Structures are given as structure tokens and as C-alpha cells.
Amino acid sequence: MGIAELKAEWDARDVLGDAAEWDALREESVPLYREAVDQFLEGTKDVASFRTSVDSLSKSHGWFGFRGTGQMFFNQLVKAADLDDLTAALKAALPAPADEEEAKSKLEAFQAAVDRARDRAETTGATKPGGGRINFFISFFWELFDRETWPTFFPNSRNVLEEHGLLDTSQPQPDLYIAYRRRINELKETLATTTWEVEHLLWDLGQGGAEPEAAEETPTEEEPEAQAETVDLYASYRSQGLYF
């Protein structure tokens, strides 16, 4: 198991050919996402409008699997957090970092902001944003701006790397992303290919050839609190005399 086994899978598959059409669609949509991020960072969109823009793009150009886990997390953040605090945290976190040290610092700072939103949710009754979604959420935006340096932390890719003994997922979120990035870079070097192609290989291995948009859309075992969040949501409905 390990890198050698993944290389054997790569050699046995036509990943480049199979993914060509999909990547063309992704390439066309990248500038649209980047424009939405730029507008937020420049202050022409507030955080609520930014959330709406990304939600719209993830539905009309859903080639990155963001509209399930990522969009749900974003929705929860906007509802739970102090918006000024969230705005400052996102503006600090979303620009791609210069190196691993800065990446870890950005993730730690954003994790602190998510913790504040979770604490605030306890008093407002909002659903707590899941802390285990931070790496995927932030790295999705980093990859939009610097694809070959900062790969998206896809849950599927994480799971495949773990299954092949290449990733210790018990680490804190920031350390886990750094370890994940190093493995993706090792695979890129071994296979002499790109970030997207490594993502496609790991997707094929983890999902049996299913299309990323359809399967990545459904949140998987993202973190222990996910089940608790569902219970909290139902409890909230019941307390208001509502039915789901």
C-alpha cells in the first residue's frame, strides 16, 4: 500500500483522457469564482452577498463539489457568526498563503473564528458550523488562485490517502492540511502530473467512477459533531412547533 500502489492505479487508468471534458468546464468557471472572491476582498460585496454569489455559482457551475459540504458550512457560518467578525476572518484567510507556515497560521486563525461562531450559536439557537469542514472550505478558495501550490482538501481524497496509509487524520485541522498537501505534491511529482489530475485519480479510487458533482455534494463523515448538528436542528424545529 502507499505511493507505489497509487502509481499502479494511475498507470492502469486513462485519468487524463477521462477528465478532459470535466476540467474544461472547471477551467471556464474558475474566473467566475475568483471574481466573486475579489469583490468580497475589495469590499464591493458584503459577506452575505458573497455567500449568495458563491451559492449561485456552486449551483450553476458545480464542478468542484462545493455546493454540498462547503456551501452548507458557509450558510451555517453566516447565520451563526457575528458578521463583522466573520468578514474580518474571511478576508484574512481567503488569499492564498505564501508558504506552509502562513497556511497553518491562517487556518488556526480561521478555526478560532469558527469557534467563536459556534459559541455564539449556543446563545442564538443557530446551528453550529462544523469545525471539521475548515480545511475543505478555505483550501477550495486557495486552489482557485494557486492551483498547483494549494490543493483543495477534498474529503474523498483525504479518505483515500488514509486508506492507503499515507495520511494520519488524527492531527489538528491545520496540521492535517499541511500533511495532506505534502502527500498531494508527492503524488504529483511521482506521477509527473497536475493537482487536478491527482484529484481525479483519488476521486476514481474513492467513488468508483461517480461524477464529483453528484457524490461530493452529499456531506460524508466529516466530523463527529455532524450528527449532533442534525439533532440540534430537529430539536429547534420541535421547540417551535414545526415539522421537518
Side-chain angles (χ1 to χ4, degrees):
M1 296 180 68
I3 294 292
E5 185 179 27
L6 292 180
K7 185 174 188 310
E9 291 286 355
W10 170 266
D11 292 339
R13 297 164 183 261
D14 182 19
V15 174
L16 296 175
D18 293 342
E21 183 177 354
W22 191 269
D23 282 349
L25 295 170
R26 296 176 95 187
E27 197 70 66
E28 290 176 3
S29 65
V30 166
L32 302 177
Y33 282 97
R34 290 178 59 160
E35 181 182 14
V37 178
D38 285 338
Q39 289 174 341
F40 170 67
L41 295 177
E42 293 164 359
T44 56
K45 282 185 181 291
D46 62 17
V47 69
S49 299
F50 176 43
R51 186 212 67 80
T52 300
S53 295
V54 174
D55 183 36
S56 177
L57 284 170
S58 68
K59 291 173 180 173
S60 61
H61 297 76
W63 318 122
F64 300 91
F66 185 83
R67 70 180 186 177
T69 299
Q71 191 63 49
M72 179 191 299
F73 178 68
F74 202 176
N75 294 344
Q76 291 171 346
L77 273 178
V78 171
K79 292 177 181 178
D82 175 86
L83 294 186
D84 289 338
D85 185 39
L86 179 58
T87 296
L90 284 170
K91 286 188 174 182
L94 294 187
D99 51 36
E100 286 188 352
E101 182 178 359
E102 185 181 0
K104 183 176 178 180
S105 177
K106 281 175 175 280
L107 290 170
E108 289 173 342
F110 191 72
Q111 187 170 37
V114 172
D115 287 342
R116 292 193 294 273
R118 287 170 59 83
D119 290 342
R120 191 170 185 270
E122 290 186 357
T123 61
T124 63
T127 300
K128 291 183 180 180
R133 297 171 183 167
I134 292 171
N135 283 346
F136 170 64
F137 179 79
I138 294 297
S139 63
F140 165 76
F141 293 101
W142 289 355
E143 189 185 272
L144 286 172
F145 285 89
D146 196 349
R147 182 187 312 163
E148 297 307 324
T149 306
W150 304 108
T152 301
F153 187 87
F154 284 113
N156 177 83
S157 298
R158 172 204 63 197
N159 293 344
V160 172
L161 291 175
E162 182 182 25
E163 289 166 5
H164 285 74
L166 296 172
L167 189 65
D168 174 11
T169 59
S170 67
Q171 305 173 76
Q173 285 284 293
D175 295 310
L176 178 57
Y177 177 75
I178 298 303
Y180 171 88
R181 173 183 181 264
R182 291 175 181 176
R183 284 304 191 187
I184 295 296
N185 285 340
E186 184 179 0
L187 279 169
K188 285 165 56 179
E189 183 177 352
T190 300
L191 305 178
T193 192
T194 66
T195 294
W196 279 5
E197 302 312 331
V198 170
E199 290 174 358
H200 288 308
L201 172 64
L202 297 177
W203 180 263
D204 286 350
L205 293 175
Q207 299 293 333
E211 291 186 349
E213 179 187 11
E216 196 70 56
E217 172 185 359
T218 303
T220 56
E221 34 112 13
E222 192 63 22
E223 63 278 325
E225 61 257 39
Q227 291 183 348
E229 288 170 7
T230 304
V231 174
D232 290 344
L233 178 62
Y234 292 158
S236 175
Y237 285 156
R238 289 197 298 270
S239 69
Q240 301 173 64
L242 302 175
Y243 296 89
F244 180 77

